[in-house]
Amino acid sequence: MANGSSLNEFLLLAFADTQELQLLHYVLFLGIYLAALLGNGLIITAIACDHHLHTPMYFFLLNLSLLDLGSISVTVPKSMANSLWDTRAISYSGCAAQVFFFFFLCSTEFSLLTVMAYDRYVAICRPLHYGNLMGSRACVQMAAAAWASSFLNALLHTGNTFSIPLCQGNTVDQFFCEVPQILKLSCSDAYLREVGLLLVSLCLVFGCFIFIVVSYMQIFTAVLRIPSEQGRHKAFSMCLPHLAVVSLFVGTGTFAHLKPPSLSSPSLDLVVAVLYAVVPPAVNPLIYSMRNKELKEALKKLIQRVHGQHQ
């Protein structure tokens, strides 16, 4: 195994060593995957079908649901299939595809969460300028910039990672392929180039995170100045779901990649990976619809319409 090109497959980390536990993992992942498909699918359909929801906030939420559907579909079905067929193998091209799509979709999601923080900031702190700053053309341009820049970023990282010679075997210490795990298999100083690129990406992520924090500090200052309790409640209801999704996304991802080595063990790494790669896409639809009356109404109408057609 002199380099990456001589590898034709990688071995992923198995969730369990007995068939019964592998089947349990399959059933658990199937449940989470179906919940994510149903929740995000309902939100996408409700927003697309209800013209009352054709606003910047819901346009970005639709994008977010598409990304959640994509990111969970990159990792979970392959892991389920491996458990079902009692194998750990993933092809070289399949591993590269997982690295690319997972990086691409997660980068786009974080970019969009940053744009959504700006949308909330303009809506609450500069309401008179909202129509000009968040017009449909501006929203499409911001979403397109998030998707396009993340696509190029993922292409760069994937190409760079898989051009590095790999000689530490082909066992990936994770249930899906991701850049840090592939770098562990490298055998030359060439991996430092990719580490440098990852640090640049981390700095950009940190910049976005600071932007979100500063936006919310100004938002909460403005909300506390609203005289009516009803107005304050409405503003908080608008912001809290987004803040919860950002916290879940950043918190789980940060702990997974920046936890001290002393805390590292294969089983803990596996649980943490599930928390940041599998749980958020399934939980996000719940977070967004829980405190949102407009979305609840649209979902109720959609379910009634479907129910009416089946009768």
Side-chain angles (χ1 to χ4, degrees):
M1 277 179 217
N3 60 36
S5 60
S6 62
L7 282 173
N8 57 11
E9 67 173 24
F10 290 92
L11 297 176
L12 298 172
L13 197 61
F15 268 84
D17 44 13
T18 66
Q19 201 171 1
E20 291 81 6
L21 286 172
Q22 282 183 339
L23 283 173
L24 181 66
H25 156 240
Y26 173 81
V27 171
L28 186 66
F29 263 32
L30 180 65
I32 294 171
Y33 188 54
L34 291 176
L37 290 182
L38 180 67
N40 288 294
L42 279 172
I43 284 179
I44 291 165
T45 313
I47 293 170
C49 295
D50 195 325
H51 70 276
H52 295 298
L53 301 184
H54 293 176
T55 63
M57 183 171 93
Y58 293 108
F59 168 72
F60 293 127
L61 182 53
L62 184 141
N63 274 266
L64 206 64
S65 287
L66 283 170
L67 289 163
D68 281 337
L69 274 183
S71 67
I72 199 167
S73 298
V74 168
T75 58
V76 167
K78 178 62 184 169
S79 183
M80 283 163 54
N82 278 7
S83 277
L84 201 58
W85 307 122
D86 193 19
T87 178
R88 293 170 55 201
I90 183 170
S91 68
Y92 185 85
S93 55
C95 189
Q98 274 197 342
V99 166
F100 171 76
F101 283 109
F102 192 72
F103 203 104
F104 165 50
L105 295 163
C106 287
S107 299
T108 311
E109 184 152 342
F110 195 62
S111 300
L112 273 173
L113 287 170
T114 308
V115 171
M116 287 170 87
Y118 175 68
D119 172 59
R120 300 299 81 218
Y121 163 75
V122 176
I124 289 167
C125 300
R126 302 183 68 187
L128 299 177
H129 301 279
Y130 190 78
N132 292 331
L133 292 170
M134 300 302 295
S136 54
R137 194 175 170 187
C139 289
V140 169
Q141 284 172 343
M142 283 189 272
W147 284 86
S149 59
S150 299
F151 180 86
L152 293 172
N153 198 16
L155 210 57
L156 176 71
H157 281 286
T158 308
N160 204 28
T161 301
F162 284 89
S163 68
I164 295 167
L166 306 175
C167 64
Q168 305 280 347
N170 66 341
T171 304
V172 178
D173 288 333
Q174 195 48 273
F175 75 94
F176 65 98
C177 291
E178 59 174 353
V179 174
Q181 299 301 333
I182 303 298
L183 291 184
K184 285 181 183 176
L185 306 177
S186 64
C187 53
S188 73
D189 289 339
Y191 80 93
L192 291 172
R193 185 181 59 194
E194 176 56 23
V195 170
L197 277 173
L198 282 173
L199 286 173
V200 171
S201 292
L202 273 174
C203 289
L204 290 171
V205 166
F206 186 68
C208 288
F209 179 67
I210 293 298
F211 178 85
I212 293 170
V213 170
V214 171
S215 297
Y216 269 101
M217 282 165 69
Q218 292 181 289
I219 285 167
F220 287 133
T221 305
V223 168
L224 293 170
R225 285 203 204 106
I226 296 172
S228 74
E229 195 179 326
Q230 193 182 357
R232 282 199 299 274
H233 179 74
K234 191 182 174 186
F236 276 125
S237 294
M238 203 190 284
C239 295
L240 288 178
H242 175 255
L243 202 55
V245 169
V246 170
S247 304
L248 184 65
F249 187 86
V250 174
T252 53
T254 304
F255 182 71
H257 292 111
L258 300 178
K259 67 180 183 301
S262 57
L263 277 177
S264 248
S265 72
S267 52
L268 179 68
D269 291 352
L270 210 52
V271 170
V272 170
V274 170
L275 282 178
Y276 89 89
V278 178
V279 172
V283 172
N284 286 352
L286 270 178
I287 295 172
Y288 269 112
S289 55
M290 215 179 285
R291 293 177 65 94
N292 191 314
K293 273 186 193 168
E294 287 177 323
L295 194 55
K296 274 184 190 169
E297 284 299 314
L299 286 168
K300 208 180 287 178
K301 270 191 246 170
L302 180 69
I303 292 163
Q304 283 170 352
R305 197 184 303 166
V306 172
H307 186 64
Q309 284 172 351
H310 283 294
Q311 281 183 337

